mmCIF file of all heavy atoms in Angstrom:
data_model
loop_
_atom_site.group_PDB
_atom_site.id
_atom_site.type_symbol
_atom_site.label_atom_id
_atom_site.label_comp_id
_atom_site.label_asym_id
_atom_site.label_seq_id
_atom_site.Cartn_x
_atom_site.Cartn_y
_atom_site.Cartn_z
ATOM 1 N N ARG B 16 6.880 -2.646 6.966
ATOM 2 C CA ARG B 16 6.413 -3.889 6.428
ATOM 3 C C ARG B 16 5.029 -4.096 7.014
ATOM 4 O O ARG B 16 4.889 -4.099 8.236
ATOM 5 C CB ARG B 16 7.369 -5.042 6.790
ATOM 6 C CG ARG B 16 6.848 -6.416 6.350
ATOM 7 C CD ARG B 16 7.994 -7.481 6.545
ATOM 8 N NE ARG B 16 9.105 -7.217 5.718
ATOM 9 C CZ ARG B 16 9.273 -7.675 4.483
ATOM 10 N NH1 ARG B 16 8.231 -8.431 3.899
ATOM 11 N NH2 ARG B 16 10.321 -7.462 3.779
ATOM 12 N N MET B 17 4.019 -4.304 6.142
ATOM 13 C CA MET B 17 2.659 -4.408 6.618
ATOM 14 C C MET B 17 2.200 -5.810 6.643
ATOM 15 O O MET B 17 2.596 -6.611 5.816
ATOM 16 C CB MET B 17 1.737 -3.601 5.655
ATOM 17 C CG MET B 17 2.131 -2.179 5.389
ATOM 18 S SD MET B 17 2.124 -1.088 6.810
ATOM 19 C CE MET B 17 0.351 -0.840 7.090
ATOM 20 N N VAL B 18 1.478 -6.211 7.680
ATOM 21 C CA VAL B 18 0.968 -7.563 7.799
ATOM 22 C C VAL B 18 -0.512 -7.499 8.181
ATOM 23 O O VAL B 18 -0.977 -6.615 8.751
ATOM 24 C CB VAL B 18 1.718 -8.314 8.901
ATOM 25 C CG1 VAL B 18 3.196 -8.571 8.496
ATOM 26 C CG2 VAL B 18 1.621 -7.691 10.229
ATOM 27 N N PRO B 19 -1.233 -8.592 7.857
ATOM 28 C CA PRO B 19 -2.636 -8.709 8.299
ATOM 29 C C PRO B 19 -2.685 -9.049 9.795
ATOM 30 O O PRO B 19 -1.887 -9.835 10.314
ATOM 31 C CB PRO B 19 -3.243 -9.831 7.486
ATOM 32 C CG PRO B 19 -2.024 -10.650 6.990
ATOM 33 C CD PRO B 19 -0.885 -9.699 6.957
ATOM 34 N N PHE B 20 -3.557 -8.355 10.523
ATOM 35 C CA PHE B 20 -3.667 -8.636 11.949
ATOM 36 C C PHE B 20 -5.131 -8.319 12.327
ATOM 37 O O PHE B 20 -5.561 -7.145 12.275
ATOM 38 C CB PHE B 20 -2.715 -7.734 12.734
ATOM 39 C CG PHE B 20 -2.669 -8.070 14.243
ATOM 40 C CD1 PHE B 20 -1.975 -9.136 14.740
ATOM 41 C CD2 PHE B 20 -3.391 -7.267 15.137
ATOM 42 C CE1 PHE B 20 -1.967 -9.400 16.094
ATOM 43 C CE2 PHE B 20 -3.452 -7.590 16.471
ATOM 44 C CZ PHE B 20 -2.698 -8.655 16.959
ATOM 45 N N GLY B 21 -5.855 -9.312 12.705
ATOM 46 C CA GLY B 21 -7.225 -9.156 13.180
ATOM 47 C C GLY B 21 -8.133 -8.465 12.243
ATOM 48 O O GLY B 21 -9.008 -7.739 12.602
ATOM 49 N N GLY B 22 -7.971 -8.750 10.939
ATOM 50 C CA GLY B 22 -8.723 -8.134 9.898
ATOM 51 C C GLY B 22 -8.219 -6.767 9.439
ATOM 52 O O GLY B 22 -8.886 -6.163 8.595
ATOM 53 N N TRP B 23 -7.107 -6.329 9.990
ATOM 54 C CA TRP B 23 -6.498 -5.040 9.578
ATOM 55 C C TRP B 23 -5.163 -5.298 8.972
ATOM 56 O O TRP B 23 -4.456 -6.305 9.297
ATOM 57 C CB TRP B 23 -6.355 -4.118 10.852
ATOM 58 C CG TRP B 23 -7.606 -3.667 11.396
ATOM 59 C CD1 TRP B 23 -8.544 -4.426 12.043
ATOM 60 C CD2 TRP B 23 -8.086 -2.312 11.409
ATOM 61 N NE1 TRP B 23 -9.587 -3.605 12.410
ATOM 62 C CE2 TRP B 23 -9.273 -2.301 12.171
ATOM 63 C CE3 TRP B 23 -7.592 -1.124 10.972
ATOM 64 C CZ2 TRP B 23 -10.052 -1.147 12.360
ATOM 65 C CZ3 TRP B 23 -8.290 0.066 11.259
ATOM 66 C CH2 TRP B 23 -9.563 0.042 11.925
ATOM 67 N N GLU B 24 -4.723 -4.395 8.163
ATOM 68 C CA GLU B 24 -3.317 -4.420 7.645
ATOM 69 C C GLU B 24 -2.590 -3.388 8.393
ATOM 70 O O GLU B 24 -2.834 -2.184 8.312
ATOM 71 C CB GLU B 24 -3.308 -4.152 6.110
ATOM 72 C CG GLU B 24 -1.982 -4.590 5.509
ATOM 73 C CD GLU B 24 -2.028 -4.568 4.007
ATOM 74 O OE1 GLU B 24 -2.795 -3.757 3.423
ATOM 75 O OE2 GLU B 24 -1.194 -5.241 3.366
ATOM 76 N N MET B 25 -1.549 -3.788 9.207
ATOM 77 C CA MET B 25 -0.871 -2.954 10.150
ATOM 78 C C MET B 25 0.653 -3.096 10.076
ATOM 79 O O MET B 25 1.156 -4.170 9.589
ATOM 80 C CB MET B 25 -1.344 -3.201 11.604
ATOM 81 C CG MET B 25 -2.836 -2.984 11.916
ATOM 82 S SD MET B 25 -3.335 -1.247 11.585
ATOM 83 C CE MET B 25 -2.631 -0.443 12.985
ATOM 84 N N PRO B 26 1.430 -2.176 10.441
ATOM 85 C CA PRO B 26 2.894 -2.295 10.362
ATOM 86 C C PRO B 26 3.427 -3.275 11.380
ATOM 87 O O PRO B 26 3.093 -3.206 12.612
ATOM 88 C CB PRO B 26 3.408 -0.870 10.682
ATOM 89 C CG PRO B 26 2.275 -0.138 11.275
ATOM 90 C CD PRO B 26 1.039 -0.837 11.020
ATOM 91 N N VAL B 27 4.220 -4.229 10.920
ATOM 92 C CA VAL B 27 4.893 -5.166 11.865
ATOM 93 C C VAL B 27 6.237 -4.599 12.314
ATOM 94 O O VAL B 27 6.687 -4.813 13.433
ATOM 95 C CB VAL B 27 5.034 -6.616 11.309
ATOM 96 C CG1 VAL B 27 5.922 -6.660 10.105
ATOM 97 C CG2 VAL B 27 5.408 -7.595 12.341
ATOM 98 N N ALA B 28 6.913 -3.859 11.414
ATOM 99 C CA ALA B 28 8.172 -3.220 11.705
ATOM 100 C C ALA B 28 8.463 -2.153 10.671
ATOM 101 O O ALA B 28 7.978 -2.265 9.556
ATOM 102 C CB ALA B 28 9.269 -4.208 11.779
ATOM 103 N N TYR B 29 9.148 -1.174 11.118
ATOM 104 C CA TYR B 29 9.721 -0.155 10.190
ATOM 105 C C TYR B 29 11.132 -0.537 9.824
ATOM 106 O O TYR B 29 11.697 -1.510 10.374
ATOM 107 C CB TYR B 29 9.656 1.232 10.943
ATOM 108 C CG TYR B 29 8.234 1.614 11.285
ATOM 109 C CD1 TYR B 29 7.680 1.163 12.459
ATOM 110 C CD2 TYR B 29 7.443 2.306 10.378
ATOM 111 C CE1 TYR B 29 6.322 1.484 12.794
ATOM 112 C CE2 TYR B 29 6.143 2.636 10.663
ATOM 113 C CZ TYR B 29 5.572 2.214 11.831
ATOM 114 O OH TYR B 29 4.300 2.489 12.134
ATOM 115 N N PRO B 30 11.762 0.124 8.921
ATOM 116 C CA PRO B 30 13.077 -0.315 8.412
ATOM 117 C C PRO B 30 14.124 -0.478 9.512
ATOM 118 O O PRO B 30 15.000 -1.373 9.342
ATOM 119 C CB PRO B 30 13.502 0.718 7.402
ATOM 120 C CG PRO B 30 12.159 1.169 6.855
ATOM 121 C CD PRO B 30 11.236 1.236 8.051
ATOM 122 N N SER B 31 14.028 0.193 10.615
ATOM 123 C CA SER B 31 15.010 0.006 11.704
ATOM 124 C C SER B 31 14.927 -1.322 12.327
ATOM 125 O O SER B 31 15.881 -1.827 12.966
ATOM 126 C CB SER B 31 14.870 1.089 12.788
ATOM 127 O OG SER B 31 13.526 1.100 13.237
ATOM 128 N N GLY B 32 13.750 -2.020 12.276
ATOM 129 C CA GLY B 32 13.650 -3.396 12.730
ATOM 130 C C GLY B 32 13.105 -3.468 14.144
ATOM 131 O O GLY B 32 13.161 -2.574 14.949
ATOM 132 N N THR B 33 12.556 -4.713 14.431
ATOM 133 C CA THR B 33 11.900 -4.913 15.655
ATOM 134 C C THR B 33 12.812 -4.779 16.943
ATOM 135 O O THR B 33 12.437 -4.203 17.896
ATOM 136 C CB THR B 33 11.302 -6.344 15.698
ATOM 137 O OG1 THR B 33 10.257 -6.391 14.677
ATOM 138 C CG2 THR B 33 10.744 -6.783 17.051
ATOM 139 N N LEU B 34 14.001 -5.253 16.788
ATOM 140 C CA LEU B 34 14.952 -5.171 17.958
ATOM 141 C C LEU B 34 15.185 -3.712 18.339
ATOM 142 O O LEU B 34 15.276 -3.356 19.509
ATOM 143 C CB LEU B 34 16.222 -5.984 17.766
ATOM 144 C CG LEU B 34 16.027 -7.460 17.563
ATOM 145 C CD1 LEU B 34 17.372 -8.136 17.224
ATOM 146 C CD2 LEU B 34 15.486 -8.054 18.855
ATOM 147 N N GLU B 35 15.483 -2.878 17.349
ATOM 148 C CA GLU B 35 15.815 -1.524 17.655
ATOM 149 C C GLU B 35 14.542 -0.797 18.189
ATOM 150 O O GLU B 35 14.631 0.049 19.103
ATOM 151 C CB GLU B 35 16.293 -0.851 16.368
ATOM 152 C CG GLU B 35 17.014 0.462 16.657
ATOM 153 C CD GLU B 35 17.823 0.956 15.474
ATOM 154 O OE1 GLU B 35 18.533 0.138 14.829
ATOM 155 O OE2 GLU B 35 17.732 2.135 15.152
ATOM 156 N N GLU B 36 13.392 -1.075 17.663
ATOM 157 C CA GLU B 36 12.167 -0.478 18.143
ATOM 158 C C GLU B 36 11.900 -0.902 19.589
ATOM 159 O O GLU B 36 11.496 -0.101 20.447
ATOM 160 C CB GLU B 36 11.017 -0.872 17.273
ATOM 161 C CG GLU B 36 11.058 -0.295 15.875
ATOM 162 C CD GLU B 36 10.201 -0.990 14.850
ATOM 163 O OE1 GLU B 36 9.178 -1.653 15.295
ATOM 164 O OE2 GLU B 36 10.440 -0.936 13.677
ATOM 165 N N HIS B 37 12.210 -2.172 19.899
ATOM 166 C CA HIS B 37 12.035 -2.740 21.250
ATOM 167 C C HIS B 37 12.954 -1.934 22.263
ATOM 168 O O HIS B 37 12.526 -1.469 23.287
ATOM 169 C CB HIS B 37 12.405 -4.156 21.236
ATOM 170 C CG HIS B 37 12.207 -4.878 22.589
ATOM 171 N ND1 HIS B 37 11.261 -5.787 22.882
ATOM 172 C CD2 HIS B 37 12.952 -4.774 23.717
ATOM 173 C CE1 HIS B 37 11.371 -6.182 24.088
ATOM 174 N NE2 HIS B 37 12.416 -5.626 24.612
ATOM 175 N N ARG B 38 14.156 -1.806 21.791
ATOM 176 C CA ARG B 38 15.160 -1.118 22.708
ATOM 177 C C ARG B 38 14.768 0.333 22.882
ATOM 178 O O ARG B 38 14.985 0.930 23.962
ATOM 179 C CB ARG B 38 16.573 -1.249 22.141
ATOM 180 C CG ARG B 38 17.066 -2.693 22.251
ATOM 181 C CD ARG B 38 18.496 -2.848 21.767
ATOM 182 N NE ARG B 38 18.846 -4.327 21.705
ATOM 183 C CZ ARG B 38 19.088 -4.920 20.535
ATOM 184 N NH1 ARG B 38 19.089 -4.272 19.389
ATOM 185 N NH2 ARG B 38 19.366 -6.194 20.583
ATOM 186 N N ALA B 39 14.254 0.937 21.805
ATOM 187 C CA ALA B 39 13.845 2.382 21.938
ATOM 188 C C ALA B 39 12.774 2.538 22.946
ATOM 189 O O ALA B 39 12.713 3.531 23.707
ATOM 190 C CB ALA B 39 13.434 2.948 20.588
ATOM 191 N N CYS B 40 11.859 1.617 23.045
ATOM 192 C CA CYS B 40 10.782 1.658 24.034
ATOM 193 C C CYS B 40 11.304 1.435 25.417
ATOM 194 O O CYS B 40 10.806 2.093 26.323
ATOM 195 C CB CYS B 40 9.701 0.612 23.700
ATOM 196 S SG CYS B 40 8.223 0.702 24.772
ATOM 197 N N ARG B 41 12.239 0.617 25.613
ATOM 198 C CA ARG B 41 12.833 0.343 26.961
ATOM 199 C C ARG B 41 13.713 1.534 27.409
ATOM 200 O O ARG B 41 13.874 1.715 28.640
ATOM 201 C CB ARG B 41 13.614 -0.917 26.946
ATOM 202 C CG ARG B 41 12.742 -2.218 26.854
ATOM 203 C CD ARG B 41 12.193 -2.652 28.215
ATOM 204 N NE ARG B 41 11.390 -3.867 27.997
ATOM 205 C CZ ARG B 41 10.072 -3.883 28.131
ATOM 206 N NH1 ARG B 41 9.385 -2.793 28.334
ATOM 207 N NH2 ARG B 41 9.407 -5.005 27.961
ATOM 208 N N SER B 42 14.299 2.292 26.408
ATOM 209 C CA SER B 42 15.253 3.276 26.820
ATOM 210 C C SER B 42 14.800 4.701 26.592
ATOM 211 O O SER B 42 15.314 5.658 27.240
ATOM 212 C CB SER B 42 16.599 3.047 26.054
ATOM 213 O OG SER B 42 16.349 3.224 24.715
ATOM 214 N N ALA B 43 13.852 4.936 25.697
ATOM 215 C CA ALA B 43 13.440 6.280 25.355
ATOM 216 C C ALA B 43 11.968 6.375 25.150
ATOM 217 O O ALA B 43 11.174 6.371 26.172
ATOM 218 C CB ALA B 43 14.259 6.734 24.112
ATOM 219 N N ALA B 44 11.473 6.454 23.923
ATOM 220 C CA ALA B 44 10.039 6.522 23.662
ATOM 221 C C ALA B 44 9.738 6.084 22.255
ATOM 222 O O ALA B 44 10.472 6.373 21.347
ATOM 223 C CB ALA B 44 9.519 7.959 23.873
ATOM 224 N N VAL B 45 8.617 5.349 22.136
ATOM 225 C CA VAL B 45 8.158 4.869 20.802
ATOM 226 C C VAL B 45 6.707 5.235 20.726
ATOM 227 O O VAL B 45 5.984 5.504 21.692
ATOM 228 C CB VAL B 45 8.305 3.338 20.632
ATOM 229 C CG1 VAL B 45 9.808 3.013 20.620
ATOM 230 C CG2 VAL B 45 7.545 2.541 21.637
ATOM 231 N N VAL B 46 6.197 5.188 19.422
ATOM 232 C CA VAL B 46 4.787 5.327 19.148
ATOM 233 C C VAL B 46 4.272 4.175 18.364
ATOM 234 O O VAL B 46 4.936 3.820 17.348
ATOM 235 C CB VAL B 46 4.422 6.699 18.552
ATOM 236 C CG1 VAL B 46 5.153 6.957 17.260
ATOM 237 C CG2 VAL B 46 2.946 6.830 18.379
ATOM 238 N N PHE B 47 3.171 3.542 18.801
ATOM 239 C CA PHE B 47 2.541 2.484 18.030
ATOM 240 C C PHE B 47 1.210 3.020 17.532
ATOM 241 O O PHE B 47 0.468 3.684 18.287
ATOM 242 C CB PHE B 47 2.142 1.289 18.927
ATOM 243 C CG PHE B 47 3.294 0.615 19.624
ATOM 244 C CD1 PHE B 47 3.631 0.988 20.881
ATOM 245 C CD2 PHE B 47 4.010 -0.405 19.055
ATOM 246 C CE1 PHE B 47 4.653 0.384 21.609
ATOM 247 C CE2 PHE B 47 5.007 -1.039 19.658
ATOM 248 C CZ PHE B 47 5.354 -0.669 20.981
ATOM 249 N N ASP B 48 0.889 2.672 16.273
ATOM 250 C CA ASP B 48 -0.494 2.913 15.803
ATOM 251 C C ASP B 48 -1.302 1.679 16.169
ATOM 252 O O ASP B 48 -1.074 0.557 15.692
ATOM 253 C CB ASP B 48 -0.487 3.056 14.260
ATOM 254 C CG ASP B 48 -1.842 3.199 13.729
ATOM 255 O OD1 ASP B 48 -2.806 3.315 14.422
ATOM 256 O OD2 ASP B 48 -1.986 3.161 12.417
ATOM 257 N N VAL B 49 -2.191 1.866 17.093
ATOM 258 C CA VAL B 49 -3.033 0.754 17.576
ATOM 259 C C VAL B 49 -4.516 1.024 17.176
ATOM 260 O O VAL B 49 -5.471 0.665 17.961
ATOM 261 C CB VAL B 49 -2.870 0.383 19.042
ATOM 262 C CG1 VAL B 49 -1.509 -0.196 19.245
ATOM 263 C CG2 VAL B 49 -3.050 1.565 19.935
ATOM 264 N N SER B 50 -4.673 1.665 16.021
ATOM 265 C CA SER B 50 -6.059 1.985 15.567
ATOM 266 C C SER B 50 -6.881 0.748 15.366
ATOM 267 O O SER B 50 -8.161 0.836 15.214
ATOM 268 C CB SER B 50 -5.959 2.845 14.312
ATOM 269 O OG SER B 50 -5.289 4.050 14.552
ATOM 270 N N HIS B 51 -6.214 -0.429 15.220
ATOM 271 C CA HIS B 51 -6.979 -1.673 14.938
ATOM 272 C C HIS B 51 -7.683 -2.089 16.238
ATOM 273 O O HIS B 51 -8.600 -2.976 16.098
ATOM 274 C CB HIS B 51 -6.035 -2.762 14.545
ATOM 275 C CG HIS B 51 -4.955 -3.074 15.501
ATOM 276 N ND1 HIS B 51 -3.901 -2.234 15.700
ATOM 277 C CD2 HIS B 51 -4.773 -4.125 16.322
ATOM 278 C CE1 HIS B 51 -3.087 -2.741 16.638
ATOM 279 N NE2 HIS B 51 -3.618 -3.879 17.043
ATOM 280 N N LEU B 52 -7.344 -1.606 17.418
ATOM 281 C CA LEU B 52 -8.127 -1.875 18.553
ATOM 282 C C LEU B 52 -9.517 -1.338 18.325
ATOM 283 O O LEU B 52 -9.707 -0.274 17.697
ATOM 284 C CB LEU B 52 -7.541 -1.226 19.795
ATOM 285 C CG LEU B 52 -6.162 -1.710 20.201
ATOM 286 C CD1 LEU B 52 -5.690 -0.916 21.468
ATOM 287 C CD2 LEU B 52 -6.143 -3.193 20.521
ATOM 288 N N GLY B 53 -10.534 -1.968 18.868
ATOM 289 C CA GLY B 53 -11.867 -1.490 18.706
ATOM 290 C C GLY B 53 -12.229 -0.360 19.711
ATOM 291 O O GLY B 53 -11.618 -0.320 20.737
ATOM 292 N N THR B 54 -13.141 0.481 19.329
ATOM 293 C CA THR B 54 -13.721 1.362 20.291
ATOM 294 C C THR B 54 -15.263 1.204 20.226
ATOM 295 O O THR B 54 -15.847 1.379 19.136
ATOM 296 C CB THR B 54 -13.409 2.851 20.073
ATOM 297 O OG1 THR B 54 -11.945 3.011 20.212
ATOM 298 C CG2 THR B 54 -14.097 3.786 21.079
ATOM 299 N N VAL B 55 -15.862 0.798 21.327
ATOM 300 C CA VAL B 55 -17.273 0.721 21.431
ATOM 301 C C VAL B 55 -17.826 1.753 22.419
ATOM 302 O O VAL B 55 -17.482 1.702 23.602
ATOM 303 C CB VAL B 55 -17.726 -0.705 21.843
ATOM 304 C CG1 VAL B 55 -19.233 -0.841 21.921
ATOM 305 C CG2 VAL B 55 -17.113 -1.757 20.867
ATOM 306 N N ARG B 56 -18.533 2.652 21.921
ATOM 307 C CA ARG B 56 -19.092 3.706 22.798
ATOM 308 C C ARG B 56 -20.415 3.239 23.468
ATOM 309 O O ARG B 56 -21.270 2.774 22.759
ATOM 310 C CB ARG B 56 -19.359 5.029 21.924
ATOM 311 C CG ARG B 56 -20.090 6.155 22.659
ATOM 312 C CD ARG B 56 -19.337 6.721 23.776
ATOM 313 N NE ARG B 56 -18.026 7.317 23.419
ATOM 314 C CZ ARG B 56 -17.784 8.569 23.125
ATOM 315 N NH1 ARG B 56 -18.711 9.426 23.037
ATOM 316 N NH2 ARG B 56 -16.507 8.988 22.823
ATOM 317 N N VAL B 57 -20.386 3.193 24.808
ATOM 318 C CA VAL B 57 -21.610 2.821 25.564
ATOM 319 C C VAL B 57 -22.065 4.100 26.296
ATOM 320 O O VAL B 57 -21.335 4.538 27.190
ATOM 321 C CB VAL B 57 -21.327 1.633 26.491
ATOM 322 C CG1 VAL B 57 -22.633 1.140 27.151
ATOM 323 C CG2 VAL B 57 -20.668 0.526 25.711
ATOM 324 N N ALA B 58 -23.236 4.555 25.966
ATOM 325 C CA ALA B 58 -23.671 5.863 26.486
ATOM 326 C C ALA B 58 -25.127 5.819 26.893
ATOM 327 O O ALA B 58 -25.947 5.184 26.289
ATOM 328 C CB ALA B 58 -23.446 6.928 25.380
ATOM 329 N N GLY B 59 -25.401 6.556 27.988
ATOM 330 C CA GLY B 59 -26.817 6.736 28.337
ATOM 331 C C GLY B 59 -27.199 5.977 29.607
ATOM 332 O O GLY B 59 -26.404 5.177 30.136
ATOM 333 N N ALA B 60 -28.409 6.220 30.030
ATOM 334 C CA ALA B 60 -28.912 5.570 31.317
ATOM 335 C C ALA B 60 -28.748 4.086 31.184
ATOM 336 O O ALA B 60 -29.050 3.487 30.137
ATOM 337 C CB ALA B 60 -30.361 5.968 31.508
ATOM 338 N N GLY B 61 -28.187 3.417 32.250
ATOM 339 C CA GLY B 61 -28.019 1.977 32.242
ATOM 340 C C GLY B 61 -26.665 1.555 31.726
ATOM 341 O O GLY B 61 -26.396 0.310 31.714
ATOM 342 N N ALA B 62 -25.823 2.483 31.242
ATOM 343 C CA ALA B 62 -24.592 2.054 30.725
ATOM 344 C C ALA B 62 -23.705 1.355 31.778
ATOM 345 O O ALA B 62 -23.065 0.309 31.487
ATOM 346 C CB ALA B 62 -23.814 3.294 30.126
ATOM 347 N N THR B 63 -23.630 1.933 32.953
ATOM 348 C CA THR B 63 -22.780 1.337 33.995
ATOM 349 C C THR B 63 -23.317 -0.084 34.351
ATOM 350 O O THR B 63 -22.493 -1.008 34.471
ATOM 351 C CB THR B 63 -22.804 2.275 35.245
ATOM 352 O OG1 THR B 63 -22.408 3.559 34.812
ATOM 353 C CG2 THR B 63 -21.797 1.767 36.237
#
Side-chain angles (χ1 to χ4, degrees):
Chain B
R16 179 173 292 273
M17 308 296 286
V18 295
F20 185 81
W23 292 66
E24 196 172 24
M25 298 299 288
V27 67
Y29 299 85
S31 55
T33 294
L34 293 176
E35 197 165 314
E36 293 163 22
H37 181 109
R38 291 184 188 113
C40 183
R41 290 276 180 253
S42 64
V45 297
V46 56
F47 301 93
D48 177 8
V49 291
S50 300
H51 60 287
L52 298 178
T54 297
V55 179
R56 172 65 58 93
V57 185
T63 307

